[in-house]
Structure formats: structure tokens, C-alpha cells
Amino acid sequence: MCLRTMIKTGKSCSPRPQKVFVYTAGVFLWISAFFILTMGTARATDIQITASVDQQELTLEDSVNFSIVVEGTRSAPPPQLPPLDSFKVRPRGSSSSFQIINGDRSSSITYNFSLLPKETGTFTIGPATVDIDGKKYRTAPITLIVKEPSAVPNTLREVFAEMVISNKKPYVQEQVTATLRIYHRVEIRNLKTDIQFQGFREEALKGPIQNTRIVNGIRYLSYEISTALFPLRPGKVEIPASIIELDEVDRTRNGGTSDRFDPFGQGSIFNNFGRLNHKTLRTKPITLDIQPLPQKNRPQHFSNLVGDFIISAQLSRTEVEVGDTTTLTVTVSGQGNVKDISLPSPQWGDDFKVYEDQSEYRQTTGARFVSGEKVYTYALVPLQPGRLQAPAILLNYFDSTKGDYVSIQTQALPLTVSPGTSDSKLKVVESGSDATGRSVNPVQKIGEDILPIHTGAEVFESQALTTGSGILYGIGLLLPVGLFLITSGIYKRQQRLKYDIAFSRSHGAYQRALKKLSALSPDSDPRGVAQELSLIVREYLGNILNLQGTAITSTEVEEKLRKGNFSAEEIQETREFLEKHETLQYAPTAGNPPEELIQNARSLLDHLEKKP
Amino acid sequence: MTARTLRFKVFIFWVGIILLPATIWGQVSTKVSPANPLYNQNQFREAAEIYERAIAGGVENGHLYYNLGNTYFRMGSLPKAILNYVKAQNLLPRNEDVEANLEYAVRQTADQLDGRKPHVLESVLFWVGDLNLSEHRMALFWINLAFWVAMAVRLRHQTPATQSARNILLAFLVLALVSTGFRWHQETRQSIGVILPQQIDVHSGWNATTVVLFQLHRGSLVSISQEKENWYAIELSSEKKGWTLKSNIAE
């Protein structure tokens, strides 16, 4: 309607708000009613729970879809699965449905799991339970038969995997390359691997890489993950079966054509459709016989370095003065367990003072080997002039291809040292040098242990905050605040008394008036007493109302009292008192006795001061 | 009650307050002292019992936890040793012995994992970890006292110097309050646990049927972030999170 109006008139329009509100509310009510009714129906319906699998016979390479359907509700909690020790369980999500067929409503929720068998045999999947409104519902048990993968040779299969070990009889610390190869002739997706190496130090090699390999005349794509392993101890070590999970794309079921050598669907976008078959592949366990490093010819300084290495050294300056510094850089590089490169402490002699820097390590990981280099730097400060030599640096390692130890060393590097131009006899004592500047062997750590217990009785004071000490602490925190507030109050009052004249006058006016009343003698002349009383009350009123002088009339007093929030009764009483006493001062005869006059005055003051 | 009796009672109260720590110290020392010779005689089980009894009796002392950690280490119970070193470190944050032994004990575990997750605030309040809660409370007490004294002085002497002193002390007081509160939160709300079994699976949810995310080994230190039925959510400093049974963790 609004659109029509716009077209006709060419003006913008807006729907009437009331109508929109009614319409929206109506729709909302209908939707709410629909949900309430359907939910009520679902609750009222009998709940049934069933479990099913998509296949009851499978091999170790397959997975089975295990579904638990709860009918009669769409909001059941997740089911409690029975013990499934022989399977790996993968939750696959849940789905709910609601149907109305011929007026009958039905709803259900389905929980899906993938079961991946770990071993062969016949297994009974016990009842799964669902707890709905305190009542437990159970599924019927299901039997599954898990067999070995079919006896088809690998070469006739679409997908298979193998673990290839470069050397099954390596020495301790010799690099072994373990390559997991996944051969496939169909597209694979969602690849997951579980590879375990125990008894080795591992270094991931470059990759994964994809190759084309011919196996028994059949062309396969090969997905290869390589790991460099360094055996830690001699003896038999088993590399357990690696588990590879993947989805095999089966295009034939959808009638699509596929290029077998377009495994990741990089061709036509239509090739991305197809059914996914989940597969679990296992490699065969492989046992390695790790050889110990021979004792024969084992050099004195050997740090379990195994592989193939070279060593080089150079000086930053070959001509220096006494006290100057030249840097000796020693580089060890090669293939093998490069992380374990360790140089024996060079024999520096008495010619140099040496400062060793932190070594630098750089590793290069290739597709098949781990290589790298370690760079040691030493700052050499010659202590005497002449033709000196930076000593040769020795490195021992085990060459696994030769099966023997190899010793290599750098050349001793000549260094010409001239006498210093200044008196720069260095006598700096550093760790690793004695007081004479000669280098000494650094202290080497031989063992490690925990430090001893603490025994001093004084250290065993409880650090806990008990209830009592907690209260005291709280008081301690609040006390300064309280003291400050009190001090601040007193100080402010003092300041006000000092600077606020009105406050100062009114403060103590009552006491001063009482004092004066007490000083009056009842035996005095009543007229004199009346005069005194009039003066005392006027003075009191002048103080509390901050009026100047005492020559104020009763009318003025009345006016001021009215502004000062005094009640009509008080004002009346004050006025009468003042008028009466003015009269009495000049009366020819004495009226009331002086005691009564004094008492009246006290009573008036009490009244004005709001004293009980 | 006469004024004299009242004065006497007040005197006794303050004497009690002053002597209370000494009395507690005496009791603690007596409770613990037989354990140390037992430890030195390699009677670790007996020593551990005495230390544990003192702790159960309400004694909260870093040196006591440290000694108990050493005792468990000697008994071969690495998780309990690590746990007690952690408690000792809370109370003695600057003690090098505790730090060295904790580090050494962690190095003996398979994972060598100290999964205590540093709080974001720790990078701002960098000093918080260097003081224990008791020291934080003491600092707060003195700064609070100094601040109110400065306020009182400023009543009579309103000079720029007293204003600066008051502002500086106020800033310190706020920092001390935040630090103490944060440290208190760390000690009472943040829970640290140690893995007890040789190896455990850490799941994606509080159910054994959920996916195993990773595995941890005996002695690994983890932060406990959540609790659900008989499961704990644990976090590692490397942002790994997961669930494991409470029975797998000692707190």
C-alpha cells in the first residue's frame, strides 16, 4: 500500500506505526503459540532412544558411523556413551528434526559419532544412556566385527601407507631419517597423522613433500613426511605403527569423472563433489637395532657428536699491541647431531687473557638431513709482546660411515704482538682466570641435587593471618582514618571559633548567661535584679542572634527570633519576659520576689536553648 | 569496674597483643623442630608426617613447605615435592633455595613443564610476585598510616610540600591496595595443580568420550581455571587448554 502511494504521489510515505505494531505482535504471538504447542506435544510424546551403525563388519582401516537417535524431544542432553576402549571416538555433531505428517507432529535429535577401531575382534557396544527429566533411557547393544585389512597387497589398493627408515642399524646419536609415505591414486582430504617415536630425539625435516612414485609398475602420488631421529640409547627400539586418518574421495558414486592425478581437486570445481570415505591406515611397526658407540679408539674429549663435521678458525687481527683485543672465531659445521657440538676447552697457555663469548648455533633443516653450524668466539688479549700463536682447537666426532672416531683440528694461528704504547698492563681478574691473569680451568658441574632443608628455629614463624590478627590488622587500617576524622573535626571547630564571630558568640552563650544568673543575689533589690535579668537575657539573645549591643527592643527581638526558626510560643514568652522586666525596673513597688524572677529567667533560657 | 581495674585490663590486652607472635612462633618451632633431625637421618616418612601435622594445625610457613618439598623429593614423590615448593614460593617469593629446588624438581619431570599462567596484570604490577601476601599487607598498613598522618599534617600546614607528599602517598596507597588485592586474588582464587599419574589424557570437554587434545605426564605444573563435576579445566602457559579428571591433579 505504501509502495503504491509512493508510486502514485511521488512522495515518500511511512506505514502507520499502530498498524505495524499490531501486525508484528500478531505474528509474534502466532509463532510463540506454535512453539509452545509443539514443545508441549514433544514433551507429552513418549521418548524413545535407538542406536545404530552404518556397518557392522569393518576392517582396521575403516570407521563406523555410530548414531544415537532420541525421538520425542528436540532438547535431550548428550548421551553417555558406554566404555569403548577398543575404539577411538570422534564426536560428529548433532542434528534435530521436526515433522508434521497428516497432523501428527514428531521431533527427534540425533547425536553422531565416528568409531575408529584400534584392534581386531568382535565387540559389543553396550547401551548408551540419556537422562531426560530424571529418567534414564538406554539403547540396545550393537555388535561390531573388526577384521584385519583385506589381504590385498598394497600395490593393488587405492591408498596405503608405509614408514621408510633410512638405516635400521644406526649408532647411538646417528641421524636416521624416518619417512612416512602415503601413497594414493585417488583424491584424499582431511589428512591426520599420529606418529610416535620413543627412545629418539626428533627433528622435523623440511616438508611435507609430494612426489610421484612408481610402485610395481603403478604410478602413485606420494605424500611424504620426514623426521630426523637421533637414537638416545643402544639396544632394540621399536617404532610403533603410525596411524593415518584421511577421507578418500569417491567420485564414482556421484557419477562424476575424476582425474586420478588431480588429488586435491585443483581441476574443475565440479570435481570437488563426491562421497568421502573415512579411512584409517596403519604402517607396520619397525624395530631398529641401535648400536653402541665403540669403546675402542674413543678419544678423551668426545661429546657424543656423530656425523660428518669440519672445523675452521680465524683471527680478526693478526697484528696487535699488548693489551689490545683480537677475536678468534671457531666454526664447526656439518651434518648429524649438530646440537651436541661441544668444543673441549682450548689450551691457551700463559700468553693470553681470554674472554669467551656465548656460542651461536644455526641449524639448517633439509628434506633428508639436519645440518648446521656452531660458532664460538673468544676475545684474546695478549699479555706479552712477540710472535704468539692462537692455539689449535680440537674436535672429536664419530663418523658412522667409517665406523670410527675422527679427530680434526684447526691450524695454530700466528699473531704478532708489539709492545704497548701505553702502560696497559691488564690485571683484570675475571672468572676463569686467577689473580695473576693466567687462565685456569673453569669449575665444571659434576652433579646436581636439591639444596638442603632450612633448620633455624627463627624461620618457622607462621605467616598465616589468624582471625585475631586479621581483626587487629583491620583495626590498624581503620584507626588512622578514625583518628584523622576526629582531629579534623576538632581542628575545624577551633578554626570556626576563631574566625566565625556569630558561631563564636553563640558558642557558650548559654553557659555564660547561666553563670551570670548564678552570680545574682536573691537578697538584692528586686528592681535591680529585674534590670540585671533583662540585661543578661538581652545579652544572651544578642549572642545567639549575632546582634550588636544590648539596647534592643522587644519588637526587634521578636523579629529576629522569627527569622531564627524559633517557635511562636518561645517568641511570645521572650517578648513577655522582656516587657515585664522593663516594667519592673521602674515600678514603684516590688512585684515578684527576686528568686522567682531569676527562676523565670533560667526557665526562659532553658527554653530558648532547647534544654529539657 | 574501677578505673584502676580497667587500666590493668587494658595493659594485659596490649601485652597479649605484643607477645602473641612470639607465643605462636614458639609453638610452631616446637612443632617442627623434631622433623629436621629425622630428615637428616633419612627418616623421610616420619619427617613428612611431622611437617604435614604442623601444616594441618594451621601453620603457614614457607620454610615448612620447602622442607616438606625436600622430604617428598627424597621420598621420590615428585608431584608432591613440586606442589610444596610452589606453596613455599608463594610465601617466600625471593628465596633462592626454593626457586632452585623447584626448578630442579621440574627438570626431573617428563614434560619439564611449569604451566603456571602469568596474569596479564603481572606485567603492569611487576612487583607483586616479589612480595608475599603478608609483606603486601604490611606495606599497605604503613603506607595507609603515612597517608593519614600526611593528611593530618596538612590540616595545619597547607603548603605545596605537604600537598605533594599527600598526593604521592595517595598514589602509593592506591597501588598498595591494588597490589594487595591482586596478590590476595592470586593466592586464594588462582589454583595451581600438579599431575599425579604417570601420564594423563587432556580432553576437549568434561567427558572421557571427548577428543584427547594432548597428554601430560607426572609432575607437570598446570593452572586450574574451571571446575565441572569431577573434572578440572586446566591451562598451560603455552595457551593449551583442556579438561582432565580431578583425581589426576594434586592441589
Side-chain angles (χ1 to χ4, degrees), chain B residues 28-187:
Chain B
V28 174
S29 178
T30 317
K31 280 181 190 171
V32 175
S33 55
N36 297 343
L38 287 172
Y39 175 92
N40 291 326
Q41 291 158 18
N42 295 343
Q43 294 180 33
F44 301 120
R45 189 170 299 282
E46 292 78 5
E49 277 176 17
I50 295 172
Y51 291 136
E52 288 280 21
R53 215 178 300 138
I55 290 168
V59 177
E60 190 85 351
N61 180 285
H63 300 280
L64 183 56
Y65 282 117
Y66 169 81
N67 285 4
L68 185 59
N70 272 15
T71 313
Y72 278 127
F73 188 91
R74 292 285 183 233
M75 287 165 70
S77 179
L78 210 50
K80 284 187 176 177
I82 290 172
L83 195 63
N84 280 290
Y85 287 141
V86 169
K87 288 178 181 173
Q89 202 174 42
N90 271 340
L91 297 166
L92 303 170
R94 300 179 303 283
N95 191 294
E96 289 176 359
D97 287 4
V98 177
E99 194 180 345
N101 282 10
L102 174 60
E103 195 186 317
Y104 180 65
V106 168
R107 279 211 309 275
Q108 306 310 305
T109 62
D111 296 327
Q112 300 194 3
L113 178 73
D114 185 350
R116 288 176 291 174
K117 208 178 166 190
H119 196 278
V120 182
L121 267 182
E122 276 181 68
S123 54
V124 183
L125 307 174
F126 56 87
W127 60 88
V128 166
D130 291 336
L131 303 174
N132 64 29
L133 184 57
S134 180
E135 289 164 336
H136 274 285
R137 281 197 298 254
M138 207 36 78
L140 174 63
F141 175 84
W142 287 112
I143 292 171
N144 180 59
L145 185 64
F147 171 73
W148 291 107
V149 168
M151 288 285 284
V153 169
R154 198 168 149 66
L155 281 177
R156 282 193 176 275
H157 307 282
Q158 298 208 346
T159 63
T162 56
Q163 187 181 10
S164 303
R166 184 202 61 184
N167 292 347
I168 290 167
L169 283 166
L170 178 63
F172 274 109
L173 182 61
V174 171
L175 282 178
L177 271 170
V178 173
S179 305
T180 309
F182 179 54
R183 183 70 186 177
W184 176 82
H185 170 81
Q186 276 187 319
E187 288 203 7

Side-chain angles (χ1 to χ4, degrees), chain A residues 302-315:
Chain A
F302 174 66
S303 61
N304 287 329
L305 195 60
V306 179
D308 187 16
F309 299 91
I310 54 170
I311 186 167
S312 63
Q314 63 175 32
L315 280 171

Side-chain angles (χ1 to χ4, degrees), chain A residues 101-164:
Chain A
I101 300 170
N102 296 332
D104 292 334
R105 286 182 290 271
S106 65
S107 56
S108 67
I109 182 164
T110 307
Y111 291 95
N112 298 306
F113 301 89
S114 281
L115 304 184
L116 314 174
K118 293 180 187 170
E119 55 193 333
T120 56
T122 302
F123 305 99
T124 302
I125 300 176
T129 55
V130 178
D131 192 340
I132 301 171
D133 295 338
K135 192 175 175 187
K136 283 193 187 304
Y137 297 86
R138 292 170 198 281
T139 62
I142 296 173
T143 303
L144 286 179
I145 299 165
V146 181
K147 295 177 178 172
E148 285 287 349
S150 58
V152 184
N154 275 345
T155 49
L156 295 181
R157 295 159 76 180
E158 301 279 10
V159 181
F160 68 96
E162 68 173 351
M163 179 67 82
V164 180

Side-chain angles (χ1 to χ4, degrees), chain B residues 12 22 35 81 83 96 167 172 198 215 236 244:
Chain B
I12 293 294
L83 195 63
E96 289 176 359
N167 292 347
F172 274 109
Q198 202 63 39
Q215 290 180 324
L236 310 182
T244 190

Side-chain angles (χ1 to χ4, degrees), chain A residues 79-82 89-91 113 445 448-466 469 472-473 476-478 480-481 484 487-488 491-492 494-495, chain B residues 17 24-25 28-29 32 36 39 51 58-64 66-67 70 73-74 85 91 95 97 100-101 104 107 132 137 140-141 144-145 148 151-152 155-156 207 209 211:
Chain A
Q80 287 284 326
L81 296 183
V89 182
R90 287 253 168 90
F113 301 89
K445 192 185 273 185
E448 214 175 353
D449 197 9
I450 53 170
L451 296 166
I453 57 169
H454 296 167
T455 51
E458 70 282 357
V459 301
F460 289 104
E461 186 182 336
S462 182
Q463 293 168 291
L465 193 66
T466 59
S469 53
L472 275 180
Y473 180 75
L477 274 187
L478 295 176
V481 186
F484 171 77
T487 313
S488 172
Y491 180 74
K492 281 184 179 165
Q494 283 175 348
Q495 292 298 303
Chain B
I17 294 296
I24 292 169
W25 167 71
V28 174
S29 178
V32 175
N36 297 343
Y39 175 92
Y51 291 136
V59 177
E60 190 85 351
N61 180 285
H63 300 280
L64 183 56
Y66 169 81
N67 285 4
N70 272 15
F73 188 91
R74 292 285 183 233
Y85 287 141
L91 297 166
N95 191 294
D97 287 4
N101 282 10
Y104 180 65
R107 279 211 309 275
N132 64 29
R137 281 197 298 254
L140 174 63
F141 175 84
N144 180 59
L145 185 64
W148 291 107
M151 288 285 284
L155 281 177
R156 282 193 176 275
N207 191 320
T209 56
V211 176

Side-chain angles (χ1 to χ4, degrees), chain A residues 281-352:
Chain A
L281 310 178
R282 284 175 173 76
T283 61
K284 287 180 182 162
I286 300 172
T287 303
L288 271 66
D289 187 8
I290 313 296
Q291 307 296 308
L293 293 171
Q295 288 299 321
K296 191 185 167 190
N297 301 331
R298 190 183 180 104
Q300 192 186 351
H301 298 294
F302 174 66
S303 61
N304 287 329
L305 195 60
V306 179
D308 187 16
F309 299 91
I310 54 170
I311 186 167
S312 63
Q314 63 175 32
L315 280 171
S316 62
R317 295 162 68 195
T318 53
E319 291 183 3
V320 291
E321 291 180 355
V322 172
D324 272 358
T325 305
T326 182
T327 304
L328 173 65
T329 307
V330 182
T331 308
V332 182
S333 57
Q335 282 182 355
N337 56 338
V338 280
K339 269 188 182 167
D340 294 331
I341 294 172
S342 171
L343 287 183
S345 186
Q347 298 298 312
W348 300 110
D350 297 338
D351 296 337
F352 300 102

Side-chain angles (χ1 to χ4, degrees), chain A residues 320-322 384-386 417-422:
Chain A
V320 291
E321 291 180 355
V322 172
Q384 57 195 35
V417 183
S418 54
T421 51
S422 59

